[in-house]
Structure formats: C-alpha cells, structure tokens
Amino acid sequence: MTDAVGAVGAGRDPEAVSAFVEHFAAQLVEAGMTRMPSRVFAALLASDTGTLTSAELGEQLRISPAAVSGAVRYLSQVHMVSREREPGSRRERYRVHSDQWYEALTSRNAIIKRWEDALREGVTSLGADTPAGRRLAETLDFFEFIERDVAEMMERWRAYRDEKYAR
C-alpha cells in the first residue's frame, strides 16, 4: 500500500508529512515561488522515491490535474523536476533530483548572462555618465560579482557533495 508520499510502509504520519509539505511550500512562496509549484515541489521532495504521478500529487495535495500540470510545467522550466514515462505505460512520473538546487542555480547563470548583456546595452544607450547609466552600471557590476562567486561556490559544493555522499 502506498502512503501519502509514495513510500511503501514508511510508517509515517500522513498528517505530519502534509504539515511539512505545506510549511515548506509556504517558505518557498515567501521566497517568491508561486503557490502551486511550491506545494508540488515540496510533495516530491518529501516522497521517499522522489517521484510521484499526477494522480498521486492530485490526491495528496487535493488539487486538480490541471493544477498539477501547470505546476510541473513551471518546475520543469526552472529545472527543479523532470518528467519520466513509466515503462509500458502512458503515465508520467515527476521526479525531483538530489541535485535540483544545483541545476536550478546553474540554469539561472544563462538568465544572468542575458541580463548582463541587456544592462551593458542600457549603459551604452543611456550614457555611462548619466544617473540612470551609473545605476545600470552598478547593477551590472553586482551581477558580474555574484556570478563569479556563485561559480566558485558551485565548484566547492560539487567537491563537498562528492566527498560527503561518496559520489
């Protein structure tokens, strides 16, 4: 028998699991993620297998298939979950990976690069000596600074993770 989080015989209190999912989802919402993707992500994170079907997510979270679909679409776009086809079935399972935070941050690097390009154009267009141009230049410097530190931090994380989790 499968419990509320897709784990067989885990012996967990479904109410406690649900409370965790809702609490963590609320933290994600507070940080800027929309509500439904936050709830779906938290439910996947709390499942022993790291995978759930649309039906399992809908049942656990008491949401419609359309709500699951929209949440998973968003989470896939930001590289926080992936879709997998069940062997011999048309059903899809949604998976959260152990390195989802790493992947999400790494994918942000491409976005930051585009922002930097746009900011450089803005500085040129507005003039580096204007108040707006200086503001854009400072914003550009901030992103370039953060980008360097994030790249170094991600390298340190990979080494730490590999050592701690014997990968």
Side-chain angles (χ1 to χ4, degrees):
M1 164 114 180
T2 302
D3 70 10
V5 292
V8 178
R12 290 196 200 116
D13 175 7
E15 303 249 344
V17 172
S18 181
F20 163 76
V21 167
E22 296 304 326
H23 177 74
F24 189 62
Q27 299 304 310
L28 293 172
V29 167
E30 194 171 303
M33 188 185 284
T34 56
R35 185 171 182 267
M36 207 53 67
S38 296
R39 293 181 72 216
V40 167
F41 180 74
L44 286 166
L45 200 59
S47 70
D48 281 346
T49 61
T51 65
L52 294 169
T53 65
S54 179
E56 290 167 335
L57 285 163
E59 181 181 335
Q60 178 182 342
L61 299 173
R62 294 182 179 92
I63 59 176
S64 71
V68 171
S69 178
V72 168
R73 184 173 34 259
Y74 170 81
L75 292 167
S76 295
Q77 289 171 346
V78 297
H79 306 281
M80 292 181 76
V81 302
S82 61
R83 296 172 190 247
E84 300 174 352
R85 183 84 54 196
E86 285 187 349
S89 170
R90 294 180 55 194
R91 286 187 352 169
E92 287 185 327
R93 298 191 71 76
Y94 307 112
R95 175 177 300 280
V96 65
H97 297 278
S98 60
D99 61 353
Q100 76 276 349
W101 298 113
Y102 173 85
E103 289 297 324
L105 281 175
T106 301
S107 71
R108 293 284 190 244
N109 192 44
I111 294 168
I112 290 172
K113 285 284 193 198
R114 289 195 304 268
W115 289 353
E116 288 172 357
D117 292 343
L119 288 164
R120 270 187 209 89
E121 289 177 22
V123 170
T124 300
S125 298
L126 298 170
D129 295 332
T130 66
R134 284 190 296 275
R135 190 170 43 255
L136 293 181
E138 184 177 343
T139 303
L140 173 60
D141 286 343
F142 170 78
F143 283 120
E144 289 172 340
F145 178 86
I146 293 297
E147 183 181 17
R148 282 189 304 272
D149 279 2
V150 168
E152 292 169 9
M153 182 178 56
M154 297 311 273
E155 284 297 320
R156 288 192 321 268
W157 164 249
R158 280 193 295 274
Y160 173 83
R161 177 196 62 197
D162 292 350
E163 182 180 318
K164 182 169 183 171
Y165 297 102
R167 288 188 178 186

